[in-house]
Amino acid sequence: MDMKKQLDETYLPEREGRKKRLVVGLSGGINSFVAAYLLKIQKYELIGVTVALGWDDFKGKQEKVISCHLDQTKHDVIKEFCHQLGISHVLIKAHDEFKNEVIDPWLGQKLTGTKLSPCLSCHEMRMRLLHKKMIEMDALGIVTGHLAKIFKHEYHHSVYVHSSNDEAHDQSDLLSRLPHDILEKLMLPLSDLQQKEIIKLSENFGLKSSLPEIPMHQCLTQDAQIDPIIETLVPKKYIQGGEIADAEQNNYGAHNGVVHYQYGEILNLNRPKGQELYMIGYGFQEKKLLVAGDTHFNRKRVFLTQCRISQETPWSGPLKGVVKCGEEDFVDCWIYPKNLASAVVELETNHKLFEGQIVTILRKKGKNSKVFLSGKVRYIPEPIDEQEGNERVKVDYARDI
């Protein structure tokens, strides 16, 4: 579909006395640059907006813009791009939001030994701030470089997400976690393109970004730079050492504090290949780091909590779908709704899933597939009654922090 026609007819109804003003999120990556360029040449009024974070100074008094994604060099590149494109640029310093919505939950996950998800929290926070800025600037929509598709029903105004034309770079799982009020204002100029086509367009437009991209789930990883910062943010009583043990109370030595480990990682215990032990949890009272073999994560049935369900997804009975566990990791499944925010998911085969992991379920594997829902994995400790419609599930919510 022609992008200008799509924006005119679907997203940008004419309103008397109001320009076609759009807020475009600029991260410094080539995708957001190409998205902005495509709309600029179609004569839309753009306002570039960059969300800057900082975690060593949450009050915003630092001289440099510092975060896992944006430093001063990247900030300068974005400003230069806006200057060349002839659009204004707004920098949002979201230090307090970053601390409250990303760092604090991330530290809570570290201390309880559960699956980390700072990138998902950060993405939702950034999109919410872009939406807020859109309202403040009296703009009609938000433009981003996401690779996904959004469809809007012309009669009852429901909005739902589909996968893009690029399976390897699809970001429909990210957008599926966003609320309706943001999705209905979101515009995706790259939705019909593949990453290789975007790169070709950037070359044709003369756009360059030599800055390295940080892959999803690579922020705030365990390293020598982050460990000292964690120790300054967490009271010492929460980072004391203790015993490493499995469910049978076998002792495997000592640890030096749970914050120095990550749920699902292999512990360096000099075990033979194929017998490695992974961190699966942490006991606060006894300061015990819990470990298990790789098979601990293999599950055929899981419980999804905190579900975000796509509009127009039937939720009255079982659904057949495909669980997206990673960028190119899919497995067929059946979904059994339990209530408006949870479901039991039965996988076709045993599959490696982490407790606390956010997974997305699509109608089918492949291009242009509707996203049914996304939710947080919880292990089911007791077997399910096999009689259809009588699934009995007990879930431990104590770790759902």
Side-chain angles (χ1 to χ4, degrees):
M1 180 184 294
D2 177 72
M3 180 55 59
K4 188 175 190 302
K5 182 178 179 182
Q6 180 184 0
L7 290 173
D8 283 342
E9 295 181 357
T10 308
Y11 294 110
L12 300 177
E14 292 291 347
R15 290 176 58 177
E16 185 176 354
R18 188 174 183 183
K19 296 180 179 180
K20 293 178 181 178
R21 181 183 302 143
L22 302 173
V23 161
V24 54
L26 297 175
S27 64
I30 201 67
N31 284 29
S32 60
F33 285 178
V34 172
Y37 194 93
L38 285 173
L39 295 185
K40 178 62 177 179
I41 63 178
Q42 295 181 62
K43 308 302 183 184
Y44 289 99
E45 180 188 353
L46 301 180
I47 303 169
V49 177
T50 301
V51 180
L53 315 173
W55 87 318
D56 56 336
D57 177 2
F58 299 125
K59 300 303 179 184
K61 297 179 181 179
Q62 59 198 34
E63 295 181 0
K64 295 183 178 181
V65 181
I66 300 174
S67 76
C68 53
H69 276 291
L70 186 69
D71 58 18
Q72 191 63 49
T73 300
K74 184 172 282 193
H75 183 214
D76 292 340
V77 170
I78 296 171
K79 287 198 301 182
E80 178 61 23
F81 168 78
C82 291
H83 176 72
Q84 293 178 355
L85 204 59
I87 66 176
S88 58
H89 180 246
V90 176
L91 182 70
I92 301 175
K93 292 188 176 182
H95 301 85
D96 290 338
E97 292 89 346
F98 187 56
K99 177 183 183 300
N100 296 333
E101 299 178 36
V102 180
I103 295 301
D104 285 351
W106 173 75
L107 285 173
Q109 292 164 348
K110 292 285 290 183
L111 293 175
T112 53
T114 54
K115 177 68 176 175
L116 306 177
S117 55
C119 290
L120 295 175
S121 301
C122 188
H123 178 264
E124 293 180 42
M125 181 205 69
R126 289 170 185 257
M127 294 303 298
R128 180 179 57 78
L129 292 174
L130 286 177
H131 184 260
K132 181 180 178 181
K133 182 58 66 175
M134 179 204 76
I135 296 173
E136 292 176 0
M137 304 299 290
D138 194 29
L140 290 169
I142 306 167
V143 179
T144 69
H146 286 96
L147 288 181
K149 297 181 181 181
I150 293 179
F151 291 91
K152 185 174 182 180
H153 199 289
E154 61 179 313
Y155 296 114
H156 47 78
H157 304 295
S158 59
V159 182
Y160 40 94
V161 179
H162 280 223
S163 59
S164 72
N165 290 342
D166 192 328
E167 293 183 63
H169 297 89
D170 176 62
Q171 295 176 302
S172 59
D173 51 344
L174 277 179
L175 298 186
S176 68
R177 300 297 297 174
L178 299 178
H180 176 275
D181 59 341
I182 294 179
L183 286 177
E184 68 176 353
K185 296 296 183 182
L186 192 56
M187 300 152 200
L188 308 176
L190 311 183
S191 62
D192 290 323
L193 301 176
Q194 294 188 349
Q195 189 63 40
K196 61 182 180 181
E197 296 173 313
I198 296 168
I199 294 174
K200 185 64 176 178
L201 279 175
S202 69
E203 295 171 353
N204 293 341
F205 294 155
L207 302 177
K208 296 180 180 180
S209 179
S210 59
L211 301 170
E213 293 285 339
I214 300 178
M216 282 289 294
H217 309 299
Q218 296 301 312
C219 295
L220 304 179
T221 51
Q222 208 70 46
D223 60 33
Q225 291 181 326
I226 288 181
D227 281 353
I229 300 176
I230 294 176
E231 292 178 357
T232 65
L233 297 174
V234 178
K236 291 185 178 180
K237 66 178 180 178
Y238 295 125
I239 56 177
Q240 296 174 359
E243 176 188 359
I244 301 175
D246 59 19
E248 286 74 36
Q249 302 304 314
N250 296 313
N251 187 294
Y252 295 96
H255 67 85
N256 61 342
V258 65
V259 294
H260 300 296
Y261 302 85
Q262 183 169 308
Y263 173 88
E265 75 167 304
I266 299 176
L267 272 68
N268 184 20
L269 299 174
N270 297 317
R271 302 272 295 176
K273 187 175 182 179
Q275 300 181 28
E276 296 92 344
L277 293 177
Y278 298 73
M279 177 186 174
I280 65 167
Y282 181 68
F284 256 115
Q285 296 298 325
E286 63 275 23
K287 304 290 188 296
K288 185 178 294 185
L289 200 69
L290 306 176
V291 296
D294 185 48
T295 57
H296 171 82
F297 304 108
N298 293 332
R299 303 284 161 160
K300 191 169 183 180
R301 294 186 181 97
V302 294
F303 195 75
L304 292 190
T305 64
Q306 302 178 22
C307 290
R308 297 281 179 88
I309 303 165
S310 175
Q311 294 185 327
E312 297 196 345
T313 294
W315 204 241
S316 57
L319 289 170
K320 185 170 177 58
V322 176
V323 178
K324 181 180 180 181
C325 307
E327 289 184 357
E328 298 183 78
D329 186 12
F330 298 85
V331 59
D332 291 338
C333 72
W334 278 96
I335 313 160
Y336 299 94
K338 303 303 294 183
N339 55 43
L340 292 179
S342 65
V344 173
V345 176
E346 182 175 336
L347 307 178
E348 186 177 71
T349 58
N350 277 359
H351 204 77
K352 188 172 184 177
L353 291 174
F354 294 113
E355 191 167 24
Q357 177 181 354
I358 300 292
V359 298
T360 304
I361 302 181
L362 299 92
R363 183 172 60 86
K364 61 182 178 63
K365 180 182 182 297
K367 304 174 183 179
N368 195 28
S369 175
K370 181 178 179 180
V371 175
F372 279 150
L373 73 148
S374 65
K376 179 178 287 189
V377 172
R378 284 288 172 261
Y379 290 162
I380 298 175
E382 293 187 2
I384 300 178
D385 188 338
E386 295 293 341
Q387 184 177 352
E388 184 176 352
N390 291 322
E391 300 94 342
R392 293 194 297 270
V393 179
K394 293 183 179 180
V395 180
D396 179 12
Y397 289 97
R399 298 173 67 199
D400 197 4
I401 295 180

